[in-house]
Amino acid sequence: MLTPRHQALLMTLAGMTVGVAVFGTVLAINGNGDDDKRATDVVVTQTPSSPTPRGDGLQSDSLQFAAQTFGTDRSPVSAEVPTTWRANQDGERPRFQDPSGVWQIRFDTRGSSKAPDRQVSDRERSIKETQLNVLSRDNGTLVYTYVDGARGPRMGLSRWISADNGSSTAVEITVGGRPQDEAALRAVLERATSSLQLPDPNNRPN
């Protein structure tokens, strides 16, 4: 049987044990709170990555072409243009434009006594657009960029085609869009050039 002295000693030990357990629990709780705070800080201070803007432009493999006839009844001309580009001007100077108004192709079938190379030089001097930059002027084709006040950076490709070995010009073709559309614009210009059908001067109606 325990004496009163032994009982008092046991009670003291029990109290110390409970105190240590409670102190350990408090430390554990406080420690977890600090970890949670640090984790929250990491999440809050992270900077989300911004999506990279795509500047792929018009894709040439997305275009389909169909022949369009223009000019005059006495001198009809035809060429293939993108099927979704609609004519908003016809006759000898037709223009075909996509529904968004970003891309277009224009023809001038009136002809000129000037050779294609001369046409390139004259057009280069006549362009008054802001920040004009001529990229090339070879083989009767002028390629250039400029900045439009309303639409921003633009690109133009103008080609003059001769029907008499370069002595004069029969047709002008100009394609317009944005600099990032260059590959597709060149494809449109080449398709129009290769499919161009001019009237036979020997078979014109009287």
Side-chain angles (χ1 to χ4, degrees), residues 8-103:
L9 180 59
L10 288 176
M11 291 294 292
T12 300
L13 292 174
M16 290 176 65
T17 302
V18 171
V20 171
V22 171
F23 182 70
T25 302
V26 171
L27 286 177
I29 292 173
N30 289 338
N32 289 339
D34 290 342
D35 290 343
D36 291 343
K37 184 175 183 301
R38 286 194 297 270
T40 302
D41 289 343
V42 171
V43 172
V44 170
T45 55
Q46 282 181 339
T47 301
S49 59
S50 301
T52 302
R54 293 179 60 84
D56 297 341
L58 181 65
Q59 301 299 306
S60 57
D61 57 5
S62 69
L63 297 173
Q64 296 182 336
F65 296 85
Q68 298 285 347
T69 301
F70 39 89
T72 66
D73 291 338
R74 292 178 59 85
S75 299
V77 178
S78 68
E80 293 185 8
V81 303
T83 54
T84 58
W85 297 14
R86 303 302 182 190
N88 56 15
Q89 186 173 318
D90 55 14
E92 293 182 293
R93 303 181 66 188
R95 181 172 60 184
F96 300 85
Q97 195 170 42
D98 82 290
S100 70
V102 176
W103 310 293

Side-chain angles (χ1 to χ4, degrees), residues 106 116-129 132-146 154-161 172-177 182 185-186 189-190 193:
R106 176 176 57 81
D117 289 343
R118 173 70 181 279
Q119 298 274 28
V120 168
S121 299
D122 289 351
R123 178 61 55 81
E124 180 180 352
R125 288 193 297 268
S126 69
I127 298 175
K128 303 302 182 183
E129 301 290 353
L132 175 67
N133 181 29
V134 174
L135 303 179
S136 64
R137 52 174 71 80
D138 304 322
N139 301 317
T141 303
L142 181 67
V143 180
Y144 54 95
T145 59
Y146 62 95
R154 300 287 294 172
M155 168 171 273
L157 300 88
S158 297
R159 174 173 291 170
W160 289 266
I161 299 172
E172 175 197 337
I173 306 174
T174 294
V175 180
E182 180 176 359
L185 296 178
R186 288 184 180 275
L189 179 60
E190 294 301 330
T193 302

